[in-house]
């Protein structure tokens, strides 16, 4: 299923780490319930098994056949539907690794919070003792009501993860907080519920994307980095429980969850200033940004005119601060550093000596090098082929895989160090 057809994309769309995981999806009566179909497509596209329950209200908007045709199995309806297993209300709790209710109506929030069991979805939730993700959607005044807020607070107190509604216009014409959260936030919240929380308690900083070094009023020196590799690492660390701050160069469009703090910068010096201020509070630094090593000497805020140099012209370049090396030299005991190297080597074996030389020079704990002159591991590619080395002399050559899977393996390697 293409990203365009399912309406949203994230840095973890192509991960294989969740294949064969089992998720149960509850869909409640809300105008937004048709959007649950896109969530189902996304999870199914990752190889996950998804079952679903549609409340009577949801079935006024969408049909069970829609969810069955998109691969949900089984699709539950009423508690005592003809032909249904007598203990169907217990099955998600016996088989699913996580449960998501999206959208969740105000009435559903009440029933979930107070342990009602008079309908199929409420009974399934009451019998489910795994991670529960809830994405409410309703009229803004209903969402703001004290009763709704009390139900949400009770659910949070019991461990449910609430993906809060977004602000904006609703189907009824009102404006305010109540719209279903962006689908990528709900999608990633489900993946977090399915992920080991082995990075919980760690604070992680990720630098990602390009930098832009301006030289006149409208032009700049840069590179085509999309920041996708760094975004995959930021999302991976967040999925696994870390507190993540992403320092993003210009043009980084990768969708990251609300739980990741984002700091946007433009130039290499901007990135250095922000990263240096954050670094003393961090446990891990992941330096994936394609930072310009040099910047042109600025010509001022005016636009340089072609008529000023009909025979061509030259620019003077000045060195930028080396973010990785400077922060590595300032690190406190226990801080870990993951570095990246973008190279134009002829093959993967030729990357090994370059990687070993750079990890020694930069004083990193782990370094991943890729060939940006290769179609399957260059800038903006969804995949990477990596050479990985660590400070203990270990080395591996990884085959082409999604950047999400690369991120997962790199986080796991760091945890072992």
């Amino acid at each position: 299923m293409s990203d365009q057809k399912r309406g949203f994309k994230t840095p973890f769309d192509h991960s294989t780490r969740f294949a064969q995981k089992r998720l149960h999806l509850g869909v409640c009566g809300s105008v937004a319930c048709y959007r649950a179909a896109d969530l189902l497509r996304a999870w199914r596209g990752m190889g996950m098994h998804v079952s679903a329950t549609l409340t009577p209200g949801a079935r006024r908007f969408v049909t069970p056949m829609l969810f069955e045709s998109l691969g949900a199995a089984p699709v539950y309806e009423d508690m005592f539907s003809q032909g249904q297993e007598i203990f169907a209300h217990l099955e998600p709790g016996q088989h699913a690794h996580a449960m998501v209710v999206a959208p969740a109506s105000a009435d559903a929030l009440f029933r979930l919070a107070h342990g009602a069991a008079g309908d199929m979805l409420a009974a399934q939730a009451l019998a489910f003792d795994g991670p529960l993700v809830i994405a409410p959607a309703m009229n803004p005044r209903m969402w703001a009501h004290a009763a709704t807020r009390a139900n949400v607070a009770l659910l949070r107190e019991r461990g449910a993860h609430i993906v809060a509604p977004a602000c904006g216009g609703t189907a009824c014409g009102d404006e305010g907080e109540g719209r279903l959260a962006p689908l990528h936030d709900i999608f990633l919240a489900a993946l977090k519920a399915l992920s080991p929380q082995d990075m919980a308690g760690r604070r992680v900083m990720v630098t990602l994307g390009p930098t832009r070094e301006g030289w006149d009023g409208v032009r700049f020196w840069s590179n085509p980095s999309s920041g996708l590799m760094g975004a995959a690492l930021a999302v991976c660390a967040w999925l696994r429980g870390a507190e993540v701050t992403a320092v993003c160069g210009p043009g980084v469009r990768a969708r990251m969850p609300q739980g990741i703090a984002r700091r946007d910068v433009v130039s290499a010096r901007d990135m250095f200033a922000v990263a240096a201020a954050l670094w003393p509070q961090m446990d891990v630094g992941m330096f994936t940004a394609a930072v310009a090593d040099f910047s042109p000497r600025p010509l001022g805020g005016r636009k340089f005119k072609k008529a000023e140099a009909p025979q061509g012209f030259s620019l003077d370049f000045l060195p930028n601060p080396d973010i990785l090396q400077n922060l590595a030299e300032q690190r406190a005991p226990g801080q870990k550093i993951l570095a990246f190297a973008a190279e134009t080597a002829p093959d993967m074996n030729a990357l090994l000596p370059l990687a070993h030389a750079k990890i020694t020079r930069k004083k990193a704990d782990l370094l991943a090098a890729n060939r940006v002159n290769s179609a399957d591991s260059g800038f903006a590619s969804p995949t990477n082929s990596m050479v990985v080395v660590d400070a203990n002399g270990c080395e591996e050559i990884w085959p082409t895989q999604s950047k999400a899977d690369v991120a997962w393996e790199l986080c796991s390697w760091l945890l072992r160090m």
Side-chain angles (χ1 to χ4, degrees):
M1 180 59 61
S2 72
D3 294 329
Q4 184 177 9
K5 285 184 178 179
R6 67 177 171 76
F8 70 97
K9 57 184 178 179
T10 78
F12 253 69
D13 293 348
H14 304 291
S15 171
T16 64
R17 303 301 166 182
F18 300 91
Q20 309 308 313
K21 289 288 187 180
R22 294 183 175 271
L23 187 71
H24 186 67
L25 172 63
V27 184
C28 301
S30 165
V31 176
C33 67
Y34 73 95
R35 303 187 72 199
D38 277 337
L39 290 169
L40 171 59
R41 284 174 173 170
W43 292 318
R44 289 286 298 140
M46 301 180 77
M48 293 168 56
H49 297 283
V50 184
S51 54
T53 298
L54 275 62
T55 66
R59 298 199 301 274
R60 301 296 293 268
F61 293 98
V62 293
T63 68
M65 185 178 293
L66 170 63
F67 287 79
E68 289 170 350
S69 67
L70 294 175
V75 176
Y76 302 98
E77 298 182 41
D78 294 323
M79 184 80 80
F80 303 108
S81 296
Q82 186 173 3
Q84 192 157 255
E85 291 291 333
I86 190 170
F87 295 117
H89 62 295
L90 303 178
E91 288 178 355
Q94 294 166 340
H95 302 294
H97 298 108
M99 183 173 181
V100 179
V101 182
S105 64
D107 182 62
L109 292 176
F110 169 79
R111 289 182 283 116
L112 295 175
H114 294 278
D119 65 272
M120 179 64 81
L121 180 59
Q124 288 173 334
L126 189 61
F128 189 81
D129 58 4
L132 176 63
V133 177
I134 303 173
M138 63 197 71
N139 174 271
R141 285 172 290 171
M142 296 172 69
W143 173 248
H145 196 281
T148 303
R149 293 307 175 94
N151 291 330
V152 169
L154 187 55
L155 286 164
R156 281 196 174 115
E157 182 183 326
R158 291 175 179 166
H161 176 72
I162 307 296
V163 186
C167 289
T170 55
C172 60
D174 285 352
E175 292 276 342
E177 192 177 10
R179 293 170 56 94
L180 185 68
L183 295 188
H184 69 272
D185 279 334
I186 305 170
F187 170 80
L188 290 173
L191 299 192
K192 185 180 179 72
L194 294 168
S195 299
Q197 298 302 288
D198 50 6
M199 295 187 74
R202 288 178 170 84
R203 292 161 296 181
V204 176
M205 177 181 71
V206 185
T207 67
L208 61 149
T211 62
R212 289 179 182 172
E213 316 300 324
W215 61 272
D216 77 350
V218 296
R219 300 178 181 92
F220 55 83
W221 170 263
S222 189
N223 62 67
S225 172
S226 65
L228 181 56
M229 186 67 249
L233 276 162
V235 170
C236 182
W238 176 82
L239 291 177
R240 297 170 72 163
E243 179 184 330
V244 181
T245 301
V247 183
C248 303
V252 174
R253 295 184 174 85
R255 286 174 168 169
M256 292 179 280
Q258 295 176 3
I260 292 178
R262 177 167 174 154
R263 300 287 299 275
D264 288 297
V265 299
V266 177
S267 70
R269 292 183 181 276
D270 294 338
M271 184 172 283
F272 177 54
V274 171
L278 291 169
W279 182 228
Q281 292 79 47
M282 297 295 156
D283 299 301
V284 179
M286 300 180 177
F287 297 89
T288 75
V291 182
D293 294 325
F294 298 89
S295 57
R297 189 185 299 275
L299 299 181
R302 66 182 182 86
K303 178 183 177 181
F304 183 77
K305 300 290 187 180
K306 181 168 61 176
E308 297 179 47
Q311 304 303 317
F313 68 100
S314 299
L315 289 173
D316 292 329
F317 281 80
L318 304 172
N320 283 324
D322 189 317
I323 299 174
L324 171 58
Q325 189 161 332
N326 273 280
L327 298 191
E329 291 172 352
Q330 298 171 20
R331 68 171 165 179
Q335 285 184 308
K336 299 291 185 183
I337 290 178
L338 166 61
F340 272 73
E343 302 287 355
T344 54
D347 55 50
M348 297 297 287
N349 287 321
L351 278 178
L352 281 169
L354 299 175
H356 281 294
K358 184 168 183 177
I359 195 172
T360 301
R361 188 170 68 252
K362 302 293 187 179
K363 301 181 176 66
D365 298 288
L366 185 64
L367 185 138
N370 68 317
R371 296 172 60 230
V372 294
N373 56 324
S374 173
D376 62 359
S377 66
F379 291 127
S381 169
T383 57
N384 250 345
S385 304
M386 311 296 298
V387 161
V388 184
V389 301
D390 69 19
N392 299 319
C394 298
E395 62 180 40
E396 291 183 5
I397 297 179
W398 292 351
T400 301
Q401 56 188 322
S402 73
K403 288 181 175 177
D405 286 348
V406 170
W408 195 277
E409 292 293 341
L410 289 173
C411 285
S412 295
W413 194 322
L414 270 178
L415 286 170
R416 293 193 298 268
M417 296 187 73

